[in-house]
């Protein structure tokens, strides 16, 4: 136990020394102020969604990726007020609704499309985990963990214009608080995202949620943020770096050249409240799952959907 505590102290000391975005509050808790995640100018002038087709506005604030889960990540776009939490020294914060057209609280078709697309992107990032990414506001008890025995909890991510936090940043979040319980169990909620375009909101939401689940920044050499590599369809960046403008963004364990953080993101998040989903298919020929077959227009169609949760997971059908 003593060796583990010493290792943790050294890790935190190195984090504060090497990552200028990391701060420590009066109670000794680490949080991040994301100067690197502020929205690029090009994105801010084209805050639009690539989503096309018919729009069902009734879905926007009723989306859930895994409604049966006991863990939630709530994407809050319609404003939120808090008082007594660690933010703003406990003083009241009235965070306004996310808005791109100067009509806060009156969501246009374009804003509905962006919210739905952001949810889809974040839900995909958390698809391997037993976590419900939702735009439907949960009851407070589904977000706040009252005790060690409370297995139903989560994190609110508020997407809002920054009118109250003294930073030119894309977001702010505490480290390793997703499963926090104790005195004033909601004290480290919510996490904040201050961007306005579809891509930068989605990437920042997953990034800030990652911090609450124990993840540190993926950087390169002395830069706390790695901005990725490659071009076109095969361009890549880690979610816990800066992933704007890259076609493929993923959880990482420092597999790229010059990585300064080899933390295994997918292995770390289950230790902080987001368990991996149960395996949904057999791992060999003797335990293979039956393919789904259905009749369509007189023709049998074989189809199957599932989730690969980790790189060593094999699904036999």
């Amino acid at each position: 136990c003593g060796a583990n505590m010493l290792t943790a102290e050294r890790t935190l000391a190195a984090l504060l020394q090497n990552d200028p975005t990391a701060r420590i509050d009066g109670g000794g808790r680490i949080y991040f102020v994301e100067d690197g995640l502020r929205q690029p100018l090009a994105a801010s002038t084209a805050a639009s969604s690539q989503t096309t087709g018919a729009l069902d506005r009734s879905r926007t604030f009723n989306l859930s990726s895994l409604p049966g889960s006991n863990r939630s990540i709530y994407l809050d776009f319609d404003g939120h007020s808090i008082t007594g939490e660690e933010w703003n020294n406990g003083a009241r914060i009235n965070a306004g609704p996310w808005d791109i057209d100067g009509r806060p609280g009156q969501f246009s078709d374009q804003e509905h499309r962006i919210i739905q697309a952001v949810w889809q992107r974040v839900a995909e990032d958390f698809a391997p985990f037993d976590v419900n990414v939702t735009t439907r506001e949960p009851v407070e008890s589904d977000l706040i963990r009252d005790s060690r025995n409370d297995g139903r909890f989560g994190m609110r991510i508020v997407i809002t214009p920054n009118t109250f936090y003294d930073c030119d940043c894309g977001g702010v979040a505490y480290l390793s608080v997703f499963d926090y319980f104790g005195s004033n169990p909601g004290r480290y909620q919510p996490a904040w995202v201050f961007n306005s375009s579809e891509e930068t909101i989605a990437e920042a939401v997953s990034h800030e949620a990652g911090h609450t689940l124990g993840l540190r920044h993926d950087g390169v050499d002395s830069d706390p943020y790695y901005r990725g590599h490659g071009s076109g369809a095969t361009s890549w960046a880690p979610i816990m770096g800066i992933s704007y403008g890259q076609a493929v963004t993923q959880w990482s364990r420092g597999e790229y050249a010059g990585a300064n953080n080899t933390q295994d993101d997918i292995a770390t998040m289950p230790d902080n409240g987001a368990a991996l989903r149960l395996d949904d298919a057999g791992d060999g020929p003797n335990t293979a799952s039956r393919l789904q077959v259905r009749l369509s227009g007189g023709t049998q169609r074989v189809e199957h959907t599932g989730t690969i949760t980790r790189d060593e997971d094999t699904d036999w059908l």
Side-chain angles (χ1 to χ4, degrees):
C1 180
N4 290 337
M5 290 180 63
L6 183 59
T7 299
E9 289 174 1
R10 288 174 174 170
T11 300
L12 289 176
L15 173 64
L16 291 169
Q17 182 176 3
N18 299 323
D19 188 342
T21 71
R23 314 289 167 81
I24 186 166
D25 71 10
R29 178 74 64 167
I30 302 293
Y31 65 101
F32 293 89
V33 178
E34 308 280 10
D35 296 334
L37 287 190
R38 58 182 177 266
Q39 183 168 281
L41 180 61
S44 65
T45 58
S48 61
S49 169
Q50 301 303 312
T51 306
T52 58
L55 171 67
D56 183 354
R57 292 169 64 109
S58 68
R59 297 179 65 245
T60 303
F61 297 105
N62 287 288
L63 295 165
S64 289
S65 63
L66 194 64
S69 176
N70 287 330
R71 312 294 159 82
S72 298
I73 295 175
Y74 169 44
L75 312 188
D76 186 351
F77 284 89
D78 60 359
H80 185 59
S81 295
I82 64 170
T83 184
E85 286 78 355
E86 292 298 314
W87 304 114
N88 202 28
N89 296 316
R92 176 172 291 278
I93 293 175
N94 294 313
W98 170 75
D99 174 60
I100 62 171
D101 61 7
R103 298 186 304 158
Q106 302 178 46
F107 294 101
S108 66
D109 284 356
Q110 183 70 356
E111 289 169 329
H112 276 271
R113 290 185 186 277
I114 291 175
I115 292 169
Q116 291 185 21
V118 166
W119 170 83
Q120 188 173 33
R121 287 173 179 255
V122 178
E124 180 65 19
D125 287 340
F126 286 93
F129 299 93
D130 184 7
V131 172
N132 182 30
V133 177
T134 184
T135 59
R136 183 175 185 175
E137 183 165 14
V139 297
E140 193 73 4
S141 59
D142 283 353
L143 293 176
I144 306 301
R145 191 180 187 194
D146 292 325
S147 68
R148 186 184 299 276
N149 295 326
D150 182 1
R152 195 170 182 87
F153 53 85
M155 180 58 57
R156 182 190 297 263
I157 314 286
V158 179
I159 301 95
T160 182
N162 184 11
T163 60
F164 53 87
Y165 199 85
D166 186 19
C167 75
D168 180 18
C169 59
V172 193
Y174 271 94
L175 178 67
S176 302
V177 294
F178 190 89
D179 59 353
Y180 173 81
F181 64 91
S183 175
N184 185 10
R187 65 193 301 179
Y188 301 114
Q189 298 238 15
W192 306 96
V193 168
F194 302 130
N195 292 335
S196 61
S197 74
E198 174 190 318
E199 180 194 28
T200 61
I201 292 171
E203 296 297 330
V205 165
S206 292
H207 183 113
E208 302 308 330
H211 281 317
T212 72
L213 286 160
L215 305 186
R216 305 187 301 275
H217 281 144
D218 287 333
V220 59
D221 300 325
S222 60
D223 189 338
Y225 297 106
Y226 183 52
R227 290 162 173 77
H229 55 256
S231 61
T234 58
S235 60
W236 179 93
I239 293 169
M240 297 310 296
I242 296 178
S243 48
Y244 302 159
Q246 306 292 16
V248 180
T249 65
Q250 292 177 310
W251 306 114
S252 171
R253 55 187 177 194
E255 304 96 327
Y256 52 89
N260 60 19
N261 178 19
T262 58
Q263 181 185 40
D264 187 333
D265 293 349
I266 290 179
T268 299
M269 287 189 276
D271 292 336
N272 290 273
L276 287 167
R277 291 197 194 190
L278 296 176
D279 196 2
D280 55 10
D283 294 330
N286 294 329
T287 57
S289 299
R290 185 176 296 275
L291 281 166
Q292 300 164 3
V293 181
R294 69 184 181 91
L295 191 64
S296 176
T299 303
Q300 281 191 329
R301 295 187 58 182
V302 178
E303 57 186 36
H304 194 89
T305 59
T307 302
I308 301 295
T309 55
R310 52 176 76 84
D311 56 4
E312 64 268 23
D313 182 19
T314 60
D315 287 352
W316 285 66
L317 308 171

